[in-house]
Amino acid sequence: MPTEQLIHARWVIPVEPADRVLEHHCLRLKGDLIAEILPSAEARIRYPQLPATELPTHTLIPGLVNAHTHAAMNLLRGIADDLPLHTWLAEHIWPAEGRWLSAEFVRDGTRLAVAEMLRGGITCFSDMYFFPEIAAEVALEAGIRAVLGLVVIDFPTPWADGPDQALEKGLSLHAALHNHPLIGFTLAPHAPYSVSDAPLMRIRVLADQLGLPIHMHIHETAQEVAEALANTGERPLARLDRLGLISPELIAVHMTQLEAAEIDRLSETGVSVTHCPESNLKLASGFCPVARLRKAGINVALGTDGAASNNDLDLFGEMRTAALLAKGVAGDATAIPAAEALRMATLGGALALGMGERIGSLEVGKQADLVAVDLGLLETHQPVYHPVSHLVYAASRHQISDVWVAGKRLLHGRVLTRMNESALFDIAAKWQERLTEKPT
Amino acid sequence: MPTEQLIHARWVIPVEPADRVLEHHCLRLKGDLIAEILPSAEARIRYPQLPATELPTHTLIPGLVNAHTHAAMNLLRGIADDLPLHTWLAEHIWPAEGRWLSAEFVRDGTRLAVAEMLRGGITCFSDMYFFPEIAAEVALEAGIRAVLGLVVIDFPTPWADGPDQALEKGLSLHAALHNHPLIGFTLAPHAPYSVSDAPLMRIRVLADQLGLPIHMHIHETAQEVAEALANTGERPLARLDRLGLISPELIAVHMTQLEAAEIDRLSETGVSVTHCPESNLKLASGFCPVARLRKAGINVALGTDGAASNNDLDLFGEMRTAALLAKGVAGDATAIPAAEALRMATLGGALALGMGERIGSLEVGKQADLVAVDLGLLETHQPVYHPVSHLVYAASRHQISDVWVAGKRLLHGRVLTRMNESALFDIAAKWQERLTEKPT
């Protein structure tokens, strides 16, 4: 019989139904599921025998869904900052990856990223990087929910000699793990400018056959759109539409360049957009028109992008930046209120990944992916008028005390229960030495 | 004889000279001053007898200068969010202040704010609020450096019946405390739309007589400028220029609406601008063109604004947002690099306040206002290529371990040494009850 347990919290913010805040409520978990949500006073009477966790100054929220990252790039955080996208990629990131990319690099970088994400309340991440089979191993050992991007790019990499081999490797990983409860998949063509028509058409077919989302960088910069127009006379989004990719399976990442007709088209076809506000700002890529997308009924998820362009995997920071920036860009202080930002960081991501029935909100029957945020620190233990406002506009990921994935507590009083922090520090030190060594 | 002590840190970022990072260095303090900066190894040999603080995984930076806040408004954090400036002020903040503003409100709110600021590495704050004599008392009891705005506004408030009484009260406070080493002053006319010509002309004279800066909200929104133009045919900045206020003494807060000729005028006259990026975003006030201001040689400081419009007094968050947003607004990823954001949050604020000779950088002879940031947490103890990048783009105020003001340690291992945290929690609870009580 699955283990049962109670979690009592000062506030419970279920995300669905929207705008609801439950005070002094309790979640009864049964194995990996949320079995019941009820007032704490009632739970104490009805289930006196069950083990209970007390969160007297905390808000309990659904686990955050990081809808776009390149986890292994944690090893490259801060290696090159304050540079435009193209210079940053071509002169710094690609050369570093060219020299160092390997299974070991991905294993170590992903370990650091997963530890950072769990400490930051991220219980599910959608990854796009090479060696996804290694990222899968790391996720399984850590117990985090991972959606692995089966990455495809036209040019050869240390992982695959081209699109065909990449897909072959990706599909065999999918075959091995697609029934694992903590593992999901996306087909992940890198970007319109780096993947040609043939693999994209094959990916379209595979998405239907396997029931997988398609996860792709699209319209990240004005330059990307201008170059495509100059070279082909077609905007990248139009090309993808012609190839059949504009559909409910598509998760379009970045989308800083959008015309009104394109927004209409995304809306009528059910595309999800993943917004990475801090990465877009840092690389001066442009502004994703989030308020307009939401008004058009388009589902929006949030992503941190990789640590090399952000420079952290902090979805709390991303929520806050998304809410603030949307107001500035829309010229409307009512755009993307706090509750809407929290929804994008949870249910929005779950829906984009096709997992809206299982995760993204605290509802009976859903997976017990939970995050406890301690509002009892001085920074937020001041008058609390609206806990959602404090959560988004004043709290920090450093106030997260406990994190559960599928009912298992992976962070306990800010300590990782399945990962060895001092081993992680050794990994960091090893790569610091390698990556900063002078060429001899 | 003043007490001497050593502080050893893994990294020391002095801010001046710019872009310098000292590894394994030591500050020797003598009383309230920085007496020497030298390699740790050398300090251990030369001063074996001095008491020493070890910061083996930390970066030591100058104390942050919060160049614009309304400290007492901590009591109103989150009381009304996601609203435009005018609705927020007229329908929520002013009514709440109208009902509750008092010496007690200012004392309690300022205590909460000072505690939050010290825990966040802010060692000096430039305040603009009513009852500045109460804020002064709180600052003195807490040991933080405070620059009190002698606020002037056309309409009567619970503190003063109009501009004349406000100035009278302000000047007597100045007379009482202007020699105190931790207390400074600005003349603080609220805004062009709320202060008429006569008090502004008097303030101009007083600024010269007393050698004080003038601290004022200016061009916060497009609406403010449009209404002035419609009513008077003159932009607010032009009116201030006509009244003689556009001068090196002026600290112009917000400045989201600036024409090219106005930027030239600010540059040639030596005005400082205080940028409050998160408040401007949250109220959808517009974007301050920070990169253009810096290119024109204008000194830029950073402010949190009050907690009611931000919603925190987190200058770390503000540095990060300033660096990211400047790139997005300028469309240039090289705009406001990390070191420049740190400079705005320290020396930029000191220069604006006329205190550039005493604080804002770690230099021999300056005040020992210091902040230790522990980069040894998992979030930042990953490869550290550039400590300044980690500080601005990845670290959080929650990683601050220790804070000194004038050589006194006011935060020790994240514990406030002079303020009682449980008393602060009681204050918060009291106001929570009052401010949320239903009218009977």
Side-chain angles (χ1 to χ4, degrees):
Chain A
M1 241 185 50
T3 329
E4 290 192 56
Q5 58 176 312
L6 302 180
I7 303 175
H8 296 282
R10 173 70 181 84
W11 296 279
V12 174
I13 300 175
V15 171
E16 183 63 46
D19 289 337
R20 184 164 300 178
V21 177
L22 306 169
E23 295 202 47
H24 300 295
H25 266 61
C26 173
L27 266 64
R28 179 165 60 85
L29 308 190
K30 198 168 182 174
D32 57 347
L33 296 176
I34 300 170
E36 191 175 3
I37 302 174
L38 70 171
S40 277
E42 196 183 320
R44 291 184 206 283
I45 293 168
R46 289 180 52 195
Y47 307 107
Q49 80 289 3
L50 291 184
T53 300
E54 305 288 341
L55 301 167
T57 55
H58 303 62
T59 294
L60 200 62
I61 59 172
L64 303 180
V65 178
N66 186 358
H68 179 68
T69 191
H70 312 284
M73 293 182 81
N74 261 46
L75 291 175
L76 303 178
R77 183 205 314 268
I79 204 167
D81 293 309
D82 305 312
L83 296 169
L85 179 63
H86 186 76
T87 315
W88 174 77
L89 265 180
E91 293 177 25
H92 298 272
I93 299 303
W94 287 342
E97 288 182 337
R99 176 150 185 217
W100 294 110
L101 184 58
S102 67
E104 183 192 6
F105 179 97
V106 172
R107 187 180 310 279
D108 288 346
T110 307
R111 277 184 176 146
L112 292 174
V114 166
E116 180 180 0
M117 288 194 278
L118 284 174
R119 279 168 56 95
I122 293 167
T123 56
C124 176
F125 69 105
S126 176
D127 201 29
M128 183 196 277
Y129 209 64
F130 311 104
F131 298 92
E133 66 280 13
I134 305 290
E137 285 177 28
V138 172
L140 289 174
E141 91 196 6
I144 196 171
R145 205 177 291 281
V147 179
L148 303 161
L150 306 182
V151 68
V152 173
I153 198 162
D154 277 351
F155 48 81
T157 69
W159 176 60
D161 61 15
D164 289 339
Q165 196 186 17
L167 271 174
E168 187 187 312
K169 288 191 169 191
L171 292 174
S172 79
L173 178 62
H174 176 265
L177 284 180
H178 75 280
N179 281 326
H180 195 288
L182 290 179
I183 300 291
F185 291 93
T186 64
L187 293 153
H190 175 263
Y193 57 84
S194 55
V195 186
S196 45
D197 285 4
L200 287 179
M201 288 188 285
R202 198 167 156 214
I203 282 168
R204 170 69 272 178
V205 173
L206 286 167
D208 290 331
Q209 288 174 345
L210 304 173
L212 293 182
I214 300 170
H215 171 197
M216 189 175 195
H217 300 112
I218 306 175
H219 287 208
E220 183 168 1
T221 62
Q223 189 187 349
E224 168 191 340
V225 177
E227 284 181 359
L229 263 177
N231 294 337
T232 68
E234 204 175 22
R235 286 167 69 90
L237 213 52
R239 171 174 160 240
L240 297 177
D241 207 355
R242 185 167 49 73
L243 295 172
L245 269 75
I246 304 301
S247 74
E249 291 75 41
L250 185 64
I251 307 167
V253 182
H254 297 311
M255 297 295 247
T256 72
Q257 311 297 317
L258 281 172
E259 293 172 348
E262 290 172 328
I263 294 179
D264 292 344
R265 180 74 184 139
L266 297 177
S267 171
E268 76 195 19
T269 50
V271 168
S272 283
V273 169
T274 295
H275 178 37
C276 302
E278 295 187 0
S279 172
N280 293 160
L281 286 173
K282 186 149 183 287
L283 298 167
S285 301
F287 302 108
C288 176
V290 184
R292 289 169 62 206
L293 296 177
R294 292 297 298 134
K295 264 192 195 144
I298 295 166
N299 179 52
V300 176
L302 278 186
T304 59
D305 212 343
S309 67
N310 181 309
N311 292 359
D312 56 32
L313 309 186
D314 176 5
L315 218 51
F316 262 74
E318 227 59 56
M319 275 200 282
R320 182 182 167 88
T321 302
L324 294 179
L325 186 64
K327 300 175 203 324
V329 168
D332 173 5
T334 69
I336 313 295
E340 176 81 24
L342 177 61
R343 193 179 185 80
M344 290 177 359
T346 52
L347 195 55
L351 290 167
L353 295 165
M355 297 164 79
E357 299 296 312
R358 295 178 62 221
I359 62 169
S361 56
L362 303 182
E363 292 180 86
V364 171
K366 278 197 168 179
Q367 288 285 300
D369 291 7
L370 317 171
V371 174
V373 187
D374 188 358
L375 296 186
L377 272 73
L378 191 130
E379 285 71 18
T380 42
H381 185 96
Q382 303 210 4
V384 179
Y385 306 111
H386 305 288
V388 183
S389 160
H390 269 41
L391 206 63
V392 172
Y393 294 125
S396 155
R397 61 171 170 169
H398 291 270
Q399 293 176 244
I400 292 168
S401 62
D402 296 87
V403 173
W404 290 260
V405 175
K408 298 248 178 342
R409 196 185 316 207
L410 302 186
L411 189 76
H412 192 149
R414 285 208 69 58
V415 176
L416 292 164
T417 60
R418 289 220 197 161
M419 303 184 88
N420 178 332
E421 207 167 304
S422 93
L424 293 169
F425 284 5
D426 292 344
I427 288 174
K430 172 179 77 179
W431 283 97
Q432 164 119 26
E433 199 169 317
R434 284 190 195 167
L435 280 151
T436 54
E437 80 181 7
K438 300 274 178 294
T440 48
Chain B
M1 240 185 53
T3 329
E4 289 192 56
Q5 58 176 312
L6 302 180
I7 302 174
H8 296 281
R10 173 71 181 82
W11 296 280
V12 173
I13 301 175
V15 171
E16 184 63 47
D19 290 337
R20 184 164 300 179
V21 177
L22 306 169
E23 296 201 48
H24 300 294
H25 266 61
C26 173
L27 266 63
R28 180 165 60 85
L29 309 190
K30 198 167 181 175
D32 58 345
L33 295 175
I34 300 169
E36 191 175 4
I37 302 175
L38 70 170
S40 278
E42 195 182 321
R44 291 184 207 283
I45 294 167
R46 290 180 49 197
Y47 308 106
Q49 79 290 1
L50 290 185
T53 300
E54 304 287 341
L55 302 167
T57 55
H58 302 62
T59 294
L60 200 61
I61 58 172
L64 304 180
V65 178
N66 185 358
H68 180 66
T69 191
H70 312 285
M73 294 184 81
N74 260 47
L75 290 176
L76 302 179
R77 183 205 313 269
I79 204 167
D81 293 310
D82 304 312
L83 297 169
L85 178 63
H86 187 74
T87 316
W88 173 78
L89 265 180
E91 294 177 24
H92 298 272
I93 299 303
W94 286 341
E97 287 181 337
R99 178 152 182 214
W100 295 111
L101 184 57
S102 66
E104 184 192 7
F105 179 99
V106 172
R107 187 180 310 278
D108 288 346
T110 307
R111 276 183 176 147
L112 292 174
V114 166
E116 179 180 359
M117 287 193 280
L118 284 173
R119 279 169 56 95
I122 293 167
T123 55
C124 176
F125 70 107
S126 176
D127 201 29
M128 182 197 278
Y129 209 64
F130 311 104
F131 297 92
E133 67 279 12
I134 305 289
E137 285 177 27
V138 172
L140 289 174
E141 90 196 7
I144 195 171
R145 204 177 290 281
V147 179
L148 303 159
L150 306 182
V151 68
V152 172
I153 198 161
D154 276 352
F155 49 81
T157 69
W159 176 61
D161 61 15
D164 288 341
Q165 195 186 18
L167 270 175
E168 189 187 311
K169 287 191 168 191
L171 292 173
S172 79
L173 178 63
H174 176 265
L177 284 179
H178 76 278
N179 280 326
H180 194 289
L182 290 179
I183 300 291
F185 292 93
T186 64
L187 293 153
H190 175 264
Y193 57 84
S194 55
V195 185
S196 45
D197 285 5
L200 287 179
M201 287 187 286
R202 197 167 156 215
I203 282 167
R204 172 69 270 177
V205 173
L206 285 168
D208 290 331
Q209 287 174 346
L210 304 172
L212 292 182
I214 300 170
H215 171 197
M216 188 175 197
H217 300 113
I218 306 175
H219 287 207
E220 182 168 3
T221 63
Q223 188 186 350
E224 168 190 340
V225 177
E227 285 180 359
L229 263 178
N231 295 335
T232 68
E234 203 175 24
R235 286 168 69 88
L237 213 52
R239 172 175 160 239
L240 297 177
D241 208 355
R242 186 166 49 73
L243 295 171
L245 269 74
I246 304 300
S247 74
E249 290 76 40
L250 184 65
I251 307 167
V253 182
H254 297 312
M255 296 298 245
T256 72
Q257 312 297 318
L258 281 172
E259 293 173 347
E262 289 173 328
I263 294 178
D264 291 344
R265 181 72 184 139
L266 297 177
S267 170
E268 77 195 19
T269 50
V271 168
S272 282
V273 169
T274 295
H275 178 38
C276 301
E278 295 187 2
S279 173
N280 293 160
L281 286 172
K282 186 149 182 287
L283 299 168
S285 301
F287 303 107
C288 176
V290 184
R292 288 169 62 206
L293 296 178
R294 292 297 298 133
K295 265 192 193 143
I298 294 165
N299 179 52
V300 177
L302 279 186
T304 59
D305 212 343
S309 68
N310 183 308
N311 293 355
D312 57 31
L313 308 186
D314 176 5
L315 218 51
F316 262 74
E318 227 59 55
M319 274 199 284
R320 182 182 168 87
T321 302
L324 293 178
L325 186 63
K327 300 176 204 323
V329 168
D332 174 5
T334 68
I336 313 295
E340 176 80 24
L342 177 61
R343 194 178 185 82
M344 291 179 355
T346 52
L347 196 54
L351 290 168
L353 295 165
M355 298 163 78
E357 298 296 311
R358 295 177 62 220
I359 63 168
S361 56
L362 303 182
E363 293 180 87
V364 171
K366 278 198 168 180
Q367 288 285 300
D369 290 6
L370 318 171
V371 174
V373 186
D374 187 358
L375 296 185
L377 272 72
L378 192 130
E379 286 69 19
T380 42
H381 185 96
Q382 302 209 4
V384 178
Y385 305 111
H386 304 288
V388 182
S389 160
H390 270 40
L391 206 63
V392 172
Y393 294 125
S396 154
R397 62 170 169 170
H398 291 270
Q399 294 176 245
I400 293 167
S401 62
D402 297 86
V403 173
W404 290 260
V405 175
K408 298 247 178 340
R409 197 187 309 209
L410 301 186
L411 189 76
H412 191 149
R414 286 209 68 59
V415 177
L416 292 163
T417 60
R418 289 220 197 164
M419 302 184 89
N420 179 330
E421 207 167 304
S422 92
L424 294 168
F425 285 4
D426 292 344
I427 288 174
K430 172 179 77 177
W431 284 97
Q432 165 121 24
E433 199 169 317
R434 284 189 195 168
L435 281 152
T436 54
E437 81 182 6
K438 301 273 177 294
T440 49

